[in-house]
Amino acid sequence: MSELDQLSINALRFLAVDAVQKANSGHPGAPLGDAPITYLLFHKYMRHNPKHAKWTNRDRFVLSNGHASAMLYSVLHLCGYEVSIADLEQFRQYGSNTPGHPEYGDTDGVEVTTGPLGQGLAQAVGMAIAEKHLAAIYNKPGYDLVDHYTYGICGDGDLMEGISHEAASLAGTLGLGKLIFLYDDNLISLDGPTDLSFTENVEKRFEGYHWHVQKVADGNDLDAISKAIEAAKAVTDKPSIIAVRTVIGYGSPKAGTNKVHGEAMGAVDVAATKEKLGWPSDKFFYVPEEAQKNWHSVIENGAKYEAEWNDLFAAYKKEYPELAEQFDRTHAGKLKEGWEKSLPSWKADSKPVATRNAGNLVMNAFAKEVPELLGGAADLTSSTKTILKDTGNFHVDPTGRNIWFGVREFAMCAAVNGMAVHGGIIPYGSTFFTFSDYCKPALRLAAIMKAHSIFVYTHDSIALGEDGPTHQPIEHLMALRALPQMTDFRPADANETAATWRLALERKSPSFFALSRQDLPILDPEKLNIYEGVSHGAYIVEQGGESPDLLIVATGAEVWLAIKSAEALKAAGITARVVSMPSWKLFEEQSTEYKASIFHDHLPKLAIEAGATLGWWKYVGRHGDVIGLDRFGASAPGPIAMEKLGFSVDNVVARAKSLVESVPKGEAALAGK
């Protein structure tokens, strides 16, 4: 290692240490140990342009052990990204662009939100999937338009998490040769030595996953790490992991112990560490001029890389104008003009169809007009109906748009997030709605990042039937509705399904579908402006005359129960207005006036949804009623399970009558408030 290399590495180390110390909060141990790896990646191997962080063909970097964020912010500053010393001084402070863990969209140069361990690795797998697919679509002889690596650093905690097993297995199966991870093998976790809880042979495990595996004995040996990275790049048919033996808290009095993992070192230990590594102990956020100049060589190189690529793309445009236009459009996140005209419509007298089946018909109708759509299911394609016909199998040919994720729900959804933030594609993943529990942490990151990730969940209620309580979602709708920045879609028929798919593509933020297994009748598109109604989140599907006696609101399949019950009530002399509410999120975005036009204050309100009642009282008010489920389901044919658990016309009619009769006339105006 040259003196300049050492100086540059120590500048990185101590910017991170000073940031943690000033905040009196953070993780100094990993930056001290991982700085040499990070230096090599950002300074020597990665093709990136600090002055244009979103350059399309840049190499991506994922810090899966996101608690080492002070190191990431420090290296971004040193390379010339829009991260200043003042930003580093505000590490972990309110409103700063240097939060406690890397946040996508907050900090220039941060590719993805990480912190919940293991998810960074899985999202990196998604990025590598995106790169491989886009390269297969766009690259032509002499034009390697898409040609970049996804690099990452992970730690012991990442590899303990179950998602790392799912993601690594998938990456090996797919042969993602442009994915290279460096494993911070420091033998320490938060509670102490890793041999307390983590004694597996990581190298053999990854060999079993069909990864290219190497070991480096000394995390400060730049030559050995460089040779390992070069060897990894030479293997094109397997992802690579390099286990680098590092020392957590390198150079500090507590080096090699868990005491330097997750808290500021203290002024005395910071001074001792600086002294040991030859750094001035009386200087803070200090970068020697020679080190800064060395780091800033990345700026010149990055500009050159991008300029060369721009010239390549200019020539590509002339030879492949249609592909170039598609490349520009999809990477800008724009849909093809007029694509929505490909969406199908069903007449009211059409044969009933399950919304999962309608979803398949909708997806395949617009697939040619939205070539950026890519995804698959967690070994449930035949049940979720999410196959894109005649578009190929990614496993056989990476131009294919169907991915078999296997029974790996969590990794699937995290990979979808990685694909989404990579850019150039709109990804989706699907499984049964009850298994969204397995996906929840990835859904949360999708929402935090506002990633354009789409999650298709089917078998949306107890109506799925015989599989019983373990497979019948109850609390899932409410749990996911509680996620900020996540859009919920539970359509009532095929036409609402088409409308929700259109909105999911147009909104450019995360959404999920809850689709039915059972066939459902068709709403009349000639009487109802269904897309307009769905885009408002809730709309009236049956007026119930000028002065209805009550309002019945429902979602999904239960809209049809509400309509049938309104007919039965009419025969009993009670008129009901029926509202379909396919999206709470969209409804909450509407004006106060629109909300009032749907939920009239003077009407008593009854909600029907085959799920948890929690949350509905906001809409029905203290004088309202909710027919839902605050218990688990039952194994039985779907129609019987629904009837036995209260989802029948007789029960709705009885509850509606009771509601109308029980609301005091003088207090009726309070209903819904």
Side-chain angles (χ1 to χ4, degrees):
M1 183 187 300
S2 71
E3 289 185 8
L4 183 57
D5 288 334
Q6 187 67 72
L7 191 71
S8 301
I9 290 167
N10 283 341
L12 172 57
R13 280 177 168 141
F14 289 112
L15 282 180
V17 166
D18 287 345
V20 172
Q21 186 60 33
K22 186 173 188 302
N24 196 30
S25 174
H27 300 73
L32 284 167
D34 290 348
I37 297 170
T38 308
Y39 171 68
L40 277 178
L41 287 177
F42 277 81
H43 186 263
K44 181 177 181 180
Y45 285 103
M46 285 173 52
R47 294 164 59 91
H48 60 117
N49 185 356
K51 299 307 177 184
H52 186 188
K54 295 298 183 182
W55 168 44
T56 304
N57 199 44
R58 68 193 181 278
D59 289 335
R60 272 69 170 174
F61 174 77
V62 177
L63 184 68
S64 194
N65 51 335
H67 53 266
S69 59
M71 178 180 70
L72 178 56
Y73 304 142
S74 297
V75 76
L76 291 173
H77 164 74
L78 290 166
C79 286
Y81 287 85
E82 293 182 8
V83 179
S84 66
I85 290 292
D87 293 325
L88 297 180
E89 291 175 338
Q90 290 298 303
F91 179 55
R92 288 185 164 229
Q93 304 308 301
Y94 186 83
S96 78
N97 67 343
T98 50
H101 289 82
E103 301 286 354
Y104 176 75
D106 282 5
T107 313
D108 190 45
V110 169
E111 297 283 2
V112 69
T113 296
T114 59
L117 292 175
Q119 286 204 62
L121 192 155
Q123 290 178 108
V125 170
M127 292 178 175
I129 290 172
E131 192 278 341
K132 187 171 183 175
H133 175 71
L134 294 172
I137 294 292
Y138 293 106
N139 289 359
K140 300 296 178 184
Y143 294 97
D144 287 337
L145 199 64
V146 181
D147 181 18
H148 53 263
Y149 285 85
T150 301
Y151 292 100
I153 294 177
C154 64
D156 293 297
D158 289 294
L159 301 187
M160 291 184 205
E161 288 285 1
I163 188 175
S164 73
H165 296 257
E166 295 181 22
S169 176
L170 177 63
T173 299
L174 296 178
L176 301 177
K178 292 281 188 73
L179 177 64
I180 299 174
F181 258 88
L182 291 108
Y183 162 36
D184 177 15
D185 183 16
N186 61 32
L187 303 177
I188 295 294
S189 64
L190 180 60
D191 279 348
T194 52
D195 59 15
L196 291 171
S197 59
F198 189 57
T199 59
E200 68 195 48
N201 187 318
V202 171
E203 290 78 23
K204 287 186 177 179
R205 167 183 156 191
F206 275 82
E207 287 173 0
Y209 291 144
H210 307 299
W211 283 54
H212 178 244
V213 178
Q214 300 175 81
K215 293 184 72 171
V216 173
D218 180 1
N220 289 299
D221 187 341
L222 296 190
D223 288 340
I225 298 170
S226 291
K227 288 176 182 177
I229 294 173
E230 296 285 0
K233 292 179 69 174
V235 177
T236 60
D237 60 346
K238 293 180 180 180
S240 290
I241 188 166
I242 304 166
V244 183
R245 179 56 51 84
T246 63
V247 177
I248 190 170
Y250 178 80
S252 76
K254 297 185 178 74
T257 74
N258 62 321
K259 302 301 182 184
V260 76
H261 172 80
E263 59 186 34
M265 294 163 58
V268 173
D269 280 2
V270 168
T273 306
K274 289 182 176 180
E275 183 177 350
K276 183 168 184 177
L277 296 182
W279 204 254
S281 60
D282 59 343
K283 293 186 178 181
F284 302 94
F285 298 98
Y286 167 61
V287 181
E289 185 177 346
E290 310 96 289
Q292 188 67 81
K293 184 177 180 181
N294 183 42
W295 275 107
H296 274 186
S297 65
V298 172
I299 298 173
E300 182 179 349
N301 290 336
K304 182 186 72 172
Y305 294 145
E306 183 172 358
E308 291 171 350
W309 185 86
N310 288 338
D311 290 343
L312 180 73
F313 190 48
Y316 183 90
K317 278 184 176 181
K318 294 178 181 178
E319 193 156 351
Y320 304 100
E322 291 183 3
L323 278 175
E325 186 279 330
Q326 180 177 296
F327 185 91
D328 271 340
R329 177 183 62 76
T330 55
H331 280 80
K334 296 179 180 178
L335 293 164
K336 183 178 179 181
E337 187 174 349
W339 76 273
E340 71 279 0
K341 295 176 183 177
S342 63
L343 291 167
S345 178
W346 285 260
K347 294 182 178 180
D349 59 357
S350 299
K351 183 180 177 182
V353 58
T355 53
R356 63 167 176 162
N357 292 328
N360 177 261
L361 295 171
V362 171
M363 292 170 68
N364 280 282
F366 70 67
K368 288 184 179 179
E369 301 302 312
V370 188
E372 58 265 44
L373 189 72
L374 173 74
D379 200 45
L380 286 170
T381 302
S382 61
S383 294
T384 60
K385 310 296 183 183
T386 47
I387 194 81
L388 293 174
K389 298 175 183 176
D390 303 320
T391 63
N393 176 348
F394 180 89
H395 300 238
V396 176
D397 177 353
T399 63
R401 294 163 61 186
N402 293 292
I403 301 172
W404 274 256
F405 287 104
V407 188
R408 304 183 181 99
E409 294 90 351
F410 190 3
M412 171 184 71
C413 292
V416 163
N417 291 340
M419 288 187 268
V421 299
H422 176 281
I425 56 178
I426 301 174
Y428 68 89
S430 64
T431 186
F432 289 172
F433 196 22
T434 192
F435 300 143
S436 64
D437 283 340
Y438 285 140
C439 310
K440 175 62 166 55
L443 300 184
R444 191 169 189 271
L445 284 197
I448 288 174
M449 294 189 293
K450 299 181 184 177
H452 199 182
S453 302
I454 297 176
F455 307 103
V456 183
Y457 298 125
T458 66
H459 297 60
D460 68 339
S461 75
I462 58 170
L464 72 87
E466 292 87 345
D467 280 334
T470 60
H471 284 53
Q472 294 170 351
I474 300 295
E475 72 282 15
H476 301 71
L477 260 174
M478 290 303 174
L480 297 190
R481 282 172 176 156
L483 273 176
Q485 301 175 171
M486 173 70 73
T487 303
D488 57 307
F489 290 122
R490 190 173 185 239
D493 82 325
N495 288 316
E496 281 197 359
T497 303
T500 53
W501 256 110
R502 177 177 172 181
L503 288 159
L505 293 178
E506 290 175 338
R507 283 174 68 79
K508 301 186 179 110
S509 58
S511 10
F512 74 90
F513 293 87
L515 304 178
S516 75
R517 178 179 185 248
Q518 74 273 33
D519 290 337
L520 301 175
I522 307 297
L523 291 167
D524 191 341
E526 295 184 4
K527 292 182 179 179
L528 301 169
N529 188 336
I530 293 175
Y531 172 74
E532 182 72 15
V534 171
S535 69
H536 285 83
Y539 66 111
I540 297 168
V541 294
E542 293 287 348
Q543 284 288 344
E546 294 184 4
S547 301
D549 298 303
L550 84 158
L551 181 146
I552 304 177
V553 57
T555 73
E558 288 78 72
V559 169
W560 294 100
L561 176 57
I563 291 172
K564 290 178 182 178
S565 298
E567 294 171 356
L569 285 164
K570 187 175 183 180
I574 298 174
T575 56
R577 176 165 293 168
V578 178
V579 169
S580 173
M581 195 172 184
S583 176
W584 283 27
K585 172 67 172 174
L586 293 182
F587 184 72
E588 287 302 322
E589 293 175 358
Q590 305 311 307
S591 67
T592 301
E593 292 74 19
Y594 183 81
K595 292 176 184 177
S597 75
I598 299 298
F599 289 103
H600 289 288
D601 285 348
H602 71 279
L603 287 177
K605 301 169 184 65
L606 172 65
I608 312 172
E609 186 170 73
T613 63
L614 179 71
W616 272 111
W617 306 102
K618 174 180 180 178
Y619 297 113
V620 303
R622 63 189 176 93
H623 290 295
D625 193 11
V626 182
I627 297 175
L629 288 165
D630 292 317
R631 54 154 286 176
F632 293 110
S635 179
I640 294 175
M642 291 289 282
E643 182 178 3
K644 293 290 186 182
L645 293 174
F647 296 92
S648 67
V649 170
D650 287 346
N651 188 45
V652 175
V653 168
R655 297 276 283 269
K657 286 181 178 179
S658 177
L659 181 61
V660 171
E661 293 168 359
S662 66
V663 176
K665 292 183 179 179
E667 297 182 21
L670 295 175
K673 288 190 175 180

